[in-house]
């Protein structure tokens, strides 16, 4: 079965420190991987995606993610966290047998402390 | 910047009542979706819509649910007879031709449905 796992419910980071939000996936075939962010009382906003090419993908707001095929991971990273990065982060993968359906992780709450 | 808009932002209804959630996708997008998020749980795919018909639907999207694009701009989700377990945040999303196969979706801010 295809799935996405975000092993941490919450990640706490001090402002200015690097942050990592973890995501692993299980999907048949080549994965299309995504990160979305949800700010309080807001919708989901696209951050970045991996389709093919370089394993390190850069996205919005200074975020990047590294695709690791052998570890089936797609961790989200940022070199220096901002308090405004505090939000809920979702990893998602496009199902191999679907052109439309995204499979979502449970989300990780990121808290950046001043 | 173009955005997906949803109305209402919050609706409270009695069990068994019909509910219609409305969405205005980004104007040049061709693919439309509904997802839902029950409080504290994962985002779940409901349905995708293209060329005036359902492209794909999940097991959640049973006969109580229907979608429609009545006038070329709105995209609606109807729940015929709401149940308590339909209480959730419902997200509409759209994507353009180029982003269809790469999954970059543009989401609205959601409609929170509370069924009493």
């Amino acid at each position: 079965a295809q799935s996405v796992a975000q092993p941490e419910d919450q990640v706490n980071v001090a402002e200015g420190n690097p942050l990592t939000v973890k995501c692993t996936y299980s999907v048949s075939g080549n994965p299309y991987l995504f990160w979305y962010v949800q700010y309080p009382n807001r919708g989901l906003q696209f951050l970045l995606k991996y389709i093919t090419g370089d394993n390190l993908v850069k996205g919005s707001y200074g975020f990047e993610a590294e695709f690791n095929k052998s570890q089936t991971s797609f961790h989200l990273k940022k070199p220096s966290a901002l308090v405004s990065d505090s939000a809920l982060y979702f990893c998602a993968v496009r199902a191999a047998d679907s052109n439309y359906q995204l499979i979502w992780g449970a989300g990780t709450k990121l808290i950046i402390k001043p | 910047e173009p955005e997906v808009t949803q109305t209402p932002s919050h609706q409270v209804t009695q069990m068994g009542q019909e509910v219609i959630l409305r969405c205005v996708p980004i104007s040049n997008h061709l693919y439309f979706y509904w997802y839902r998020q029950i409080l504290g749980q994962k985002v779940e795919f409901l349905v995708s819509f293209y060329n005036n018909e359902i492209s794909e639907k999940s097991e959640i999207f049973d006969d109580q649910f229907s979608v429609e694009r009545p006038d070329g701009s709105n995209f609606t989700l109807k729940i015929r007879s709401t149940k308590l377990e339909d209480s959730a945040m419902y997200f509409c999303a759209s994507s353009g031709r180029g982003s269809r196969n790469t999954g970059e979706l543009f989401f609205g801010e959601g409609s929170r449905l509370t069924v009493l």
Side-chain angles (χ1 to χ4, degrees):
Chain A
Q2 295 165 134
S3 64
V4 176
Q6 292 181 243
E8 303 151 317
D9 291 335
Q10 183 169 309
V11 171
N12 298 299
V13 177
E15 187 176 28
N17 283 359
L19 69 88
T20 298
V21 182
K22 295 179 181 177
C23 172
T24 58
Y25 65 90
S26 173
V27 66
S28 56
N30 294 321
Y32 291 179
L33 295 154
F34 310 88
W35 277 100
Y36 283 81
V37 59
Q38 185 178 29
Y39 296 101
N41 301 313
R42 301 295 300 276
L44 295 152
Q45 295 180 35
F46 170 80
L47 270 183
L48 51 79
K49 65 186 177 187
Y50 172 82
I51 304 300
T52 186
D54 290 341
N55 290 339
L56 186 63
V57 177
K58 293 188 183 298
S60 306
Y61 312 123
F63 283 92
E64 57 189 28
E66 186 167 13
F67 171 63
N68 188 316
K69 188 173 183 178
S70 63
Q71 296 184 5
T72 61
S73 67
F74 189 57
H75 301 331
L76 182 70
K77 300 180 180 184
K78 187 172 182 180
S80 178
L82 301 173
V83 172
S84 57
D85 293 329
S86 298
L88 193 55
Y89 290 81
F90 291 93
C91 182
V93 63
R94 202 197 82 186
D97 57 355
S98 165
N99 283 325
Y100 307 96
Q101 182 180 163
L102 290 180
I103 298 169
W104 297 79
T108 298
K109 186 175 183 180
L110 178 64
I111 297 177
I112 310 299
K113 297 185 178 179
Chain B
E1 186 174 327
E3 58 183 22
V4 176
T5 57
Q6 290 185 241
T7 55
S9 57
H10 189 193
Q11 181 157 356
V12 181
T13 189
Q14 296 292 323
M15 190 169 56
Q17 295 296 304
E18 177 182 282
V19 162
I20 297 176
L21 305 179
R22 291 181 169 80
C23 170
V24 179
I26 293 173
S27 61
N28 62 348
H29 281 182
L30 301 175
Y31 303 88
F32 314 112
Y33 314 83
W34 284 100
Y35 283 81
R36 78 173 185 189
Q37 185 180 30
I38 296 172
L39 188 63
Q41 298 186 25
K42 290 187 178 185
V43 178
E44 300 172 297
F45 171 77
L46 292 178
V47 66
S48 60
F49 191 87
Y50 169 70
N51 201 26
N52 288 318
E53 61 182 20
I54 291 173
S55 308
E56 195 171 7
K57 61 182 181 180
S58 71
E59 293 177 354
I60 302 168
F61 195 88
D62 61 21
D63 292 343
Q64 292 298 312
F65 290 88
S66 62
V67 289
E68 196 176 39
R69 188 161 162 81
D71 57 11
S73 62
N74 290 285
F75 179 52
T76 62
L77 175 69
K78 181 191 290 185
I79 308 174
R80 287 189 184 79
S81 178
T82 51
K83 304 185 287 288
L84 295 176
E85 53 265 38
D86 293 329
S87 296
M89 181 73 89
Y90 288 81
F91 291 105
C92 175
S94 69
S95 64
R97 186 187 304 276
S99 59
R100 177 181 73 88
N101 285 328
T102 60
E104 181 177 344
L105 306 181
F106 295 82
F107 284 85
E109 297 200 351
S111 294
R112 181 168 295 285
L113 175 64
T114 301
V115 182
L116 302 177

